[in-house]
Amino acid sequence: MTDLSQSGRGVGAPSADGAGDSFVAAIRATRMAMIVTDAAQADQPIIFANGAFLKLTGYSRDEIIGRNCRFLQGPDTDPADVERLRTAIAAGEDAACEILNYRKDGSSFWNAVNLSPVRDETGVITHFFASQLDVSTKKRADLALSETRNDLERLVADRTRELTQALEQKTALLHEVDHRVKNNLQLISSLLLLQNRRVSDPAVKAALRGMLDRVSAIATVHRRLFQCDDVERFDVSAFVRDLVADIMGSSGRDDIQFNLDLERVDVAASKAAPLALVISDLLSNTMRHAFPDGRPGRVFVGISRNDREFRIEIADDGVGIITSTGSTGFGLTIIQLLCQQLKAKFESSNASPGTRVVINLPVNGAP
C-alpha cells in the first residue's frame, strides 16, 4: 500500500487544494479523477479531491470536502455495488467496482472506482485513496451487447421451440403413417395368403407366394426406416440380416447354412424398396430352386463398398443357374427391371457348383 505520510508534509491535514504537498500536488495535476478520505474521522469524509474529479462530477471543491462519497449515488445505483465498496472499506481491503453515479446536474455516468487503504508506519489505516474513471461509453456498449445477446437467445429459444413443435408434429404424423402403412401391408399379405390357400394350381401358388415374399420385403423396409433416427437413409446390411432371419424362420430348412459378410452401407430411402425387392427375390429364388428335394447347402451374402459404388454378392453351392420359365423367370425379369431403375449392373454366373449373382450399385446413381 502507498504510505502517503512519507510524501513530505503528509496528508494528515492537507489543504483543500493540496498546496504545499508535493505528492498531493502531483495527483492534483493528473487527468485521472482522484480523492482521499480520512479513515480516522467518522463517516470517512473526503479531505482531498483533484481537479479531474471536480470536472467529472460537476461539483466545486467546497461542495465536496468534508462529505462522504455517497452523495454521488442516485435512484438507479445498485445497492449491491454500494455494499461491495462498504464491505471493502470495513475490511481495509482494496476494491474495484463499476458503479452508477450521478453528477451535480443529475446526469448519470458509470464510474470505474478503484479503492485502496493507506497505512502508516504501524500498519494502521489512516486514509483511503480512490480513483475514478468515466466508463459510460464502454458500459453502454456492454449493455447493448448484453441486450443483443439476450435478444438473440430469445430468438433462438423461440425458433428452437417452433422447430421442436414442428418435429413433434412430424413425428406424430410419421407414427400415424407408419401405423396405416403397416395395417395396409398386413391386409395385402393376408389377402395373398388367403388366396394362396384357396388355389390348387402349383404355378399360381408359386406366383402368389412370390408376391407375398415381395410384400413382406417391403414391410421389412418400412419397419427398418421407421425404427431408425434418420428416415432419409436405409441400412442395407441390417435389412439383409432381418430378411435372412425371416427366410430361415419361414422356410423350415435347417439344412441350409447362411454365411453373411456385411459391411454397413446406407442408401437413400428412395432406393430402399426397389433394392430390397432385388435382394428378396434373389434369396427367395435361391431357397426355392437351388436346393431341390431337401438337398442341403450353403448360401453366401456379402455387401461391401468402395468410393463410387457398393457391391452385393449372393452365391450358393446348389444345382446351378436355372433357365426355366415360370415364377423364376418372372422373378429374374423383375430383378433386371429394378436394377435398371437403380442404375445398377447385374451379373449372374455359374459358380461350379451353384450360382453367383453380383450387383454393383452406384452410391449416388439413382435418385
Side-chain angles (χ1 to χ4, degrees), residues 27-53:
I27 63 174
R28 175 178 179 270
T30 184
R31 290 186 291 180
M32 171 76 73
M34 298 179 181
I35 60 171
V36 177
T37 65
D38 190 346
Q41 297 187 48
D43 205 26
Q44 297 274 356
I46 297 172
I47 61 172
F48 171 82
N50 68 355
F53 182 84

mmCIF file of all heavy atoms in Angstrom, residues 27-53:
data_model
loop_
_atom_site.group_PDB
_atom_site.id
_atom_site.type_symbol
_atom_site.label_atom_id
_atom_site.label_comp_id
_atom_site.label_asym_id
_atom_site.label_seq_id
_atom_site.Cartn_x
_atom_site.Cartn_y
_atom_site.Cartn_z
ATOM 1 N N ILE A 27 -0.896 14.379 -7.762
ATOM 2 C CA ILE A 27 -2.177 13.743 -8.102
ATOM 3 C C ILE A 27 -3.238 14.800 -8.403
ATOM 4 O O ILE A 27 -4.202 14.523 -9.105
ATOM 5 C CB ILE A 27 -2.658 12.799 -6.979
ATOM 6 C CG1 ILE A 27 -2.920 13.557 -5.681
ATOM 7 C CG2 ILE A 27 -1.664 11.678 -6.767
ATOM 8 C CD1 ILE A 27 -3.524 12.668 -4.598
ATOM 9 N N ARG A 28 -3.003 16.018 -7.896
ATOM 10 C CA ARG A 28 -3.933 17.100 -8.228
ATOM 11 C C ARG A 28 -3.841 17.443 -9.708
ATOM 12 O O ARG A 28 -4.842 17.794 -10.346
ATOM 13 C CB ARG A 28 -3.597 18.327 -7.367
ATOM 14 C CG ARG A 28 -4.412 19.562 -7.681
ATOM 15 C CD ARG A 28 -4.029 20.690 -6.723
ATOM 16 N NE ARG A 28 -4.785 21.896 -7.016
ATOM 17 C CZ ARG A 28 -4.402 22.836 -7.862
ATOM 18 N NH1 ARG A 28 -3.252 22.702 -8.519
ATOM 19 N NH2 ARG A 28 -5.144 23.896 -8.090
ATOM 20 N N ALA A 29 -2.661 17.292 -10.275
ATOM 21 C CA ALA A 29 -2.457 17.699 -11.656
ATOM 22 C C ALA A 29 -2.841 16.611 -12.668
ATOM 23 O O ALA A 29 -2.999 16.901 -13.851
ATOM 24 C CB ALA A 29 -0.986 18.081 -11.866
ATOM 25 N N THR A 30 -3.000 15.360 -12.205
ATOM 26 C CA THR A 30 -3.289 14.291 -13.157
ATOM 27 C C THR A 30 -4.701 14.405 -13.710
ATOM 28 O O THR A 30 -5.588 14.977 -13.075
ATOM 29 C CB THR A 30 -3.098 12.909 -12.494
ATOM 30 O OG1 THR A 30 -3.308 11.904 -13.475
ATOM 31 C CG2 THR A 30 -4.098 12.707 -11.372
ATOM 32 N N ARG A 31 -4.905 13.840 -14.905
ATOM 33 C CA ARG A 31 -6.233 13.887 -15.522
ATOM 34 C C ARG A 31 -7.142 12.767 -15.018
ATOM 35 O O ARG A 31 -8.319 12.725 -15.373
ATOM 36 C CB ARG A 31 -6.104 13.808 -17.038
ATOM 37 C CG ARG A 31 -5.508 15.071 -17.637
ATOM 38 C CD ARG A 31 -5.519 15.032 -19.158
ATOM 39 N NE ARG A 31 -4.585 14.043 -19.694
ATOM 40 C CZ ARG A 31 -4.409 13.807 -20.995
ATOM 41 N NH1 ARG A 31 -5.132 14.482 -21.888
ATOM 42 N NH2 ARG A 31 -3.542 12.916 -21.399
ATOM 43 N N MET A 32 -6.611 11.853 -14.198
ATOM 44 C CA MET A 32 -7.422 10.809 -13.579
ATOM 45 C C MET A 32 -8.096 11.389 -12.341
ATOM 46 O O MET A 32 -7.441 11.995 -11.484
ATOM 47 C CB MET A 32 -6.537 9.618 -13.180
ATOM 48 C CG MET A 32 -7.230 8.568 -12.335
ATOM 49 S SD MET A 32 -8.334 7.497 -13.282
ATOM 50 C CE MET A 32 -7.150 6.489 -14.173
ATOM 51 N N ALA A 33 -9.407 11.240 -12.234
ATOM 52 C CA ALA A 33 -10.142 11.750 -11.066
ATOM 53 C C ALA A 33 -9.722 10.970 -9.831
ATOM 54 O O ALA A 33 -9.729 9.744 -9.820
ATOM 55 C CB ALA A 33 -11.640 11.613 -11.299
ATOM 56 N N MET A 34 -9.368 11.713 -8.768
ATOM 57 C CA MET A 34 -8.875 11.081 -7.546
ATOM 58 C C MET A 34 -9.370 11.834 -6.325
ATOM 59 O O MET A 34 -9.515 13.063 -6.352
ATOM 60 C CB MET A 34 -7.343 11.027 -7.522
ATOM 61 C CG MET A 34 -6.731 10.204 -8.630
ATOM 62 S SD MET A 34 -4.924 10.189 -8.564
ATOM 63 C CE MET A 34 -4.545 9.169 -9.991
ATOM 64 N N ILE A 35 -9.599 11.054 -5.248
ATOM 65 C CA ILE A 35 -9.952 11.649 -3.958
ATOM 66 C C ILE A 35 -9.229 10.891 -2.859
ATOM 67 O O ILE A 35 -8.781 9.762 -3.063
ATOM 68 C CB ILE A 35 -11.469 11.619 -3.686
ATOM 69 C CG1 ILE A 35 -11.980 10.167 -3.682
ATOM 70 C CG2 ILE A 35 -12.236 12.464 -4.690
ATOM 71 C CD1 ILE A 35 -13.418 10.038 -3.214
ATOM 72 N N VAL A 36 -9.126 11.545 -1.685
ATOM 73 C CA VAL A 36 -8.597 10.913 -0.480
ATOM 74 C C VAL A 36 -9.602 11.155 0.629
ATOM 75 O O VAL A 36 -10.105 12.273 0.786
ATOM 76 C CB VAL A 36 -7.219 11.488 -0.090
ATOM 77 C CG1 VAL A 36 -6.714 10.859 1.207
ATOM 78 C CG2 VAL A 36 -6.205 11.268 -1.211
ATOM 79 N N THR A 37 -9.908 10.086 1.391
ATOM 80 C CA THR A 37 -10.820 10.222 2.537
ATOM 81 C C THR A 37 -10.050 9.972 3.820
ATOM 82 O O THR A 37 -9.020 9.277 3.819
ATOM 83 C CB THR A 37 -11.994 9.234 2.446
ATOM 84 O OG1 THR A 37 -11.495 7.895 2.536
ATOM 85 C CG2 THR A 37 -12.761 9.418 1.142
ATOM 86 N N ASP A 38 -10.544 10.518 4.916
ATOM 87 C CA ASP A 38 -9.888 10.396 6.223
ATOM 88 C C ASP A 38 -10.522 9.238 6.976
ATOM 89 O O ASP A 38 -11.684 9.298 7.377
ATOM 90 C CB ASP A 38 -10.053 11.689 7.005
ATOM 91 C CG ASP A 38 -9.189 11.709 8.259
ATOM 92 O OD1 ASP A 38 -8.685 10.637 8.652
ATOM 93 O OD2 ASP A 38 -9.026 12.793 8.845
ATOM 94 N N ALA A 39 -9.739 8.143 7.163
ATOM 95 C CA ALA A 39 -10.266 6.961 7.838
ATOM 96 C C ALA A 39 -10.424 7.180 9.331
ATOM 97 O O ALA A 39 -11.137 6.432 10.007
ATOM 98 C CB ALA A 39 -9.354 5.761 7.582
ATOM 99 N N ALA A 40 -9.759 8.215 9.879
ATOM 100 C CA ALA A 40 -9.830 8.442 11.318
ATOM 101 C C ALA A 40 -11.088 9.203 11.722
ATOM 102 O O ALA A 40 -11.469 9.211 12.896
ATOM 103 C CB ALA A 40 -8.585 9.198 11.792
ATOM 104 N N GLN A 41 -11.725 9.863 10.779
ATOM 105 C CA GLN A 41 -12.925 10.637 11.095
ATOM 106 C C GLN A 41 -14.182 9.807 10.828
ATOM 107 O O GLN A 41 -14.191 8.881 10.030
ATOM 108 C CB GLN A 41 -12.977 11.911 10.249
ATOM 109 C CG GLN A 41 -11.838 12.890 10.500
ATOM 110 C CD GLN A 41 -12.053 14.192 9.766
ATOM 111 O OE1 GLN A 41 -13.144 14.770 9.822
ATOM 112 N NE2 GLN A 41 -11.003 14.652 9.077
ATOM 113 N N ALA A 42 -15.225 10.170 11.517
ATOM 114 C CA ALA A 42 -16.496 9.487 11.355
ATOM 115 C C ALA A 42 -17.012 9.682 9.928
ATOM 116 O O ALA A 42 -16.889 10.769 9.359
ATOM 117 C CB ALA A 42 -17.509 10.012 12.371
ATOM 118 N N ASP A 43 -17.558 8.630 9.361
ATOM 119 C CA ASP A 43 -18.217 8.636 8.046
ATOM 120 C C ASP A 43 -17.250 8.878 6.895
ATOM 121 O O ASP A 43 -17.664 9.265 5.805
ATOM 122 C CB ASP A 43 -19.335 9.696 8.022
ATOM 123 C CG ASP A 43 -20.413 9.352 6.987
ATOM 124 O OD1 ASP A 43 -20.567 8.146 6.692
ATOM 125 O OD2 ASP A 43 -21.063 10.258 6.474
ATOM 126 N N GLN A 44 -15.961 8.700 7.118
ATOM 127 C CA GLN A 44 -14.970 8.726 6.045
ATOM 128 C C GLN A 44 -15.125 9.965 5.140
ATOM 129 O O GLN A 44 -15.346 9.855 3.938
ATOM 130 C CB GLN A 44 -15.109 7.452 5.190
ATOM 131 C CG GLN A 44 -14.831 6.158 5.920
ATOM 132 C CD GLN A 44 -13.361 5.797 5.929
ATOM 133 O OE1 GLN A 44 -12.537 6.482 5.312
ATOM 134 N NE2 GLN A 44 -13.018 4.761 6.654
ATOM 135 N N PRO A 45 -14.948 11.174 5.642
ATOM 136 C CA PRO A 45 -15.148 12.362 4.801
ATOM 137 C C PRO A 45 -14.011 12.530 3.786
ATOM 138 O O PRO A 45 -12.878 12.115 4.008
ATOM 139 C CB PRO A 45 -15.144 13.499 5.806
ATOM 140 C CG PRO A 45 -14.281 13.012 6.923
ATOM 141 C CD PRO A 45 -14.554 11.535 7.027
ATOM 142 N N ILE A 46 -14.335 13.169 2.676
ATOM 143 C CA ILE A 46 -13.328 13.497 1.664
ATOM 144 C C ILE A 46 -12.488 14.652 2.191
ATOM 145 O O ILE A 46 -13.016 15.677 2.644
ATOM 146 C CB ILE A 46 -13.999 13.891 0.338
ATOM 147 C CG1 ILE A 46 -14.807 12.719 -0.227
ATOM 148 C CG2 ILE A 46 -12.961 14.349 -0.677
ATOM 149 C CD1 ILE A 46 -15.648 13.096 -1.442
ATOM 150 N N ILE A 47 -11.161 14.486 2.150
ATOM 151 C CA ILE A 47 -10.279 15.572 2.577
ATOM 152 C C ILE A 47 -9.453 16.120 1.414
ATOM 153 O O ILE A 47 -8.773 17.129 1.554
ATOM 154 C CB ILE A 47 -9.340 15.120 3.711
ATOM 155 C CG1 ILE A 47 -8.451 13.957 3.243
ATOM 156 C CG2 ILE A 47 -10.134 14.723 4.950
ATOM 157 C CD1 ILE A 47 -7.359 13.580 4.240
ATOM 158 N N PHE A 48 -9.531 15.421 0.249
ATOM 159 C CA PHE A 48 -8.808 15.917 -0.913
ATOM 160 C C PHE A 48 -9.543 15.446 -2.171
ATOM 161 O O PHE A 48 -10.015 14.307 -2.258
ATOM 162 C CB PHE A 48 -7.369 15.405 -0.948
ATOM 163 C CG PHE A 48 -6.657 15.728 -2.241
ATOM 164 C CD1 PHE A 48 -6.095 16.986 -2.435
ATOM 165 C CD2 PHE A 48 -6.586 14.796 -3.272
ATOM 166 C CE1 PHE A 48 -5.458 17.289 -3.626
ATOM 167 C CE2 PHE A 48 -5.955 15.098 -4.466
ATOM 168 C CZ PHE A 48 -5.388 16.356 -4.649
ATOM 169 N N ALA A 49 -9.640 16.305 -3.153
ATOM 170 C CA ALA A 49 -10.201 15.968 -4.465
ATOM 171 C C ALA A 49 -9.441 16.762 -5.507
ATOM 172 O O ALA A 49 -9.248 17.968 -5.362
ATOM 173 C CB ALA A 49 -11.690 16.293 -4.523
ATOM 174 N N ASN A 50 -8.992 16.107 -6.566
ATOM 175 C CA ASN A 50 -8.261 16.839 -7.594
ATOM 176 C C ASN A 50 -9.220 17.453 -8.610
ATOM 177 O O ASN A 50 -10.438 17.219 -8.599
ATOM 178 C CB ASN A 50 -7.214 15.945 -8.274
ATOM 179 C CG ASN A 50 -7.838 14.843 -9.123
ATOM 180 O OD1 ASN A 50 -9.045 14.671 -9.148
ATOM 181 N ND2 ASN A 50 -6.988 14.088 -9.820
ATOM 182 N N GLY A 51 -8.656 18.235 -9.513
ATOM 183 C CA GLY A 51 -9.487 18.951 -10.475
ATOM 184 C C GLY A 51 -10.241 18.029 -11.407
ATOM 185 O O GLY A 51 -11.361 18.322 -11.835
ATOM 186 N N ALA A 52 -9.621 16.873 -11.754
ATOM 187 C CA ALA A 52 -10.288 15.925 -12.654
ATOM 188 C C ALA A 52 -11.564 15.380 -12.018
ATOM 189 O O ALA A 52 -12.569 15.155 -12.696
ATOM 190 C CB ALA A 52 -9.340 14.778 -13.010
ATOM 191 N N PHE A 53 -11.544 15.204 -10.692
ATOM 192 C CA PHE A 53 -12.743 14.722 -10.003
ATOM 193 C C PHE A 53 -13.834 15.786 -10.039
ATOM 194 O O PHE A 53 -15.018 15.474 -10.238
ATOM 195 C CB PHE A 53 -12.402 14.348 -8.557
ATOM 196 C CG PHE A 53 -13.564 13.790 -7.785
ATOM 197 C CD1 PHE A 53 -13.899 12.445 -7.860
ATOM 198 C CD2 PHE A 53 -14.337 14.624 -6.979
ATOM 199 C CE1 PHE A 53 -14.977 11.940 -7.158
ATOM 200 C CE2 PHE A 53 -15.417 14.121 -6.272
ATOM 201 C CZ PHE A 53 -15.737 12.777 -6.354
#
